[in-house]
Amino acid sequence: MKKSVLVLLLFFISIQIAISEQLVVSTQLPDYSVHYDPKRDAFQDGRDAIRLAKETNRRILIEVGGDWCKWCHLLDRFLNKNPDVKKQLHQIFVFLKVNVSDENENIDFLKVFPQPLGYPHMYVTQSNRKLLVSKDTAQLQVNHKYSV
């Protein structure tokens, strides 16, 4: 009986740890990593992302899009349905979501990058601002869906 209770207790503790790890990914992310917001200052968010990338030895993944963007929502949904992928990405990259919309096109911020072919568009930079990759996310799709 004691062994059964102990096994059950360990099972519930392991579930709690797993849930806590998933919550860490979502609750400790800066707002600029989670939401497109036309009112945000992309330059300040960029400086904050660079600082965090340097402190945590990560690269920066800049995701350009907006709340109007169907494929942006599909990408978010894909990452939320695949928490292991999302967690790994956040361990490697500091995410910086940059809004592009009629309300705020962030032209000045984005003029140093290659022109996006569609949205969402991703750029990967080092913490020293060196551009490593410019990627149309349509290239990440298989059968019109994002795939692991």
Side-chain angles (χ1 to χ4, degrees), residues 57-140:
N57 197 30
R58 291 185 281 171
R59 292 184 170 159
I60 302 163
L61 191 149
I62 303 168
E63 183 184 327
V64 181
D67 287 337
W68 54 268
C69 171
K70 171 188 169 185
W71 287 102
C72 299
H73 289 288
L74 290 173
L75 180 59
D76 285 342
R77 197 170 308 136
F78 169 80
L79 291 174
N80 289 331
K81 286 183 180 180
N82 295 279
D84 291 342
V85 173
K86 184 176 183 177
K87 181 179 178 183
Q88 287 177 342
L89 283 172
H90 283 284
Q91 288 173 341
I92 298 168
F93 300 104
V94 172
F95 271 56
L96 172 59
K97 288 193 171 199
V98 176
N99 179 79
V100 174
S101 65
D102 291 340
E103 188 177 346
N104 184 354
E105 295 179 356
N106 277 304
I107 293 171
D108 288 337
F109 181 83
L110 295 171
K111 69 183 175 186
V112 299
F113 297 103
Q115 184 72 31
L117 301 175
Y119 298 101
H121 192 90
M122 294 188 175
Y123 303 103
V124 175
T125 70
Q126 293 178 323
S127 60
N128 67 3
R129 301 178 183 163
K130 180 181 178 190
L131 179 65
L132 301 173
V133 176
S134 174
K135 190 75 161 173
D136 177 11
T137 58
Q139 299 169 353
L140 304 175

Side-chain angles (χ1 to χ4, degrees), residues 17-48:
I17 290 170
I19 290 170
S20 297
E21 286 177 356
Q22 288 180 358
L23 289 175
V24 165
V25 169
S26 62
T27 59
Q28 291 186 350
L29 296 175
D31 198 44
Y32 61 75
S33 293
V34 181
H35 305 287
Y36 294 109
D37 184 349
K39 293 177 178 67
R40 293 193 69 84
D41 178 348
F43 286 102
Q44 183 60 52
D45 288 347
R47 287 188 292 274
D48 292 343

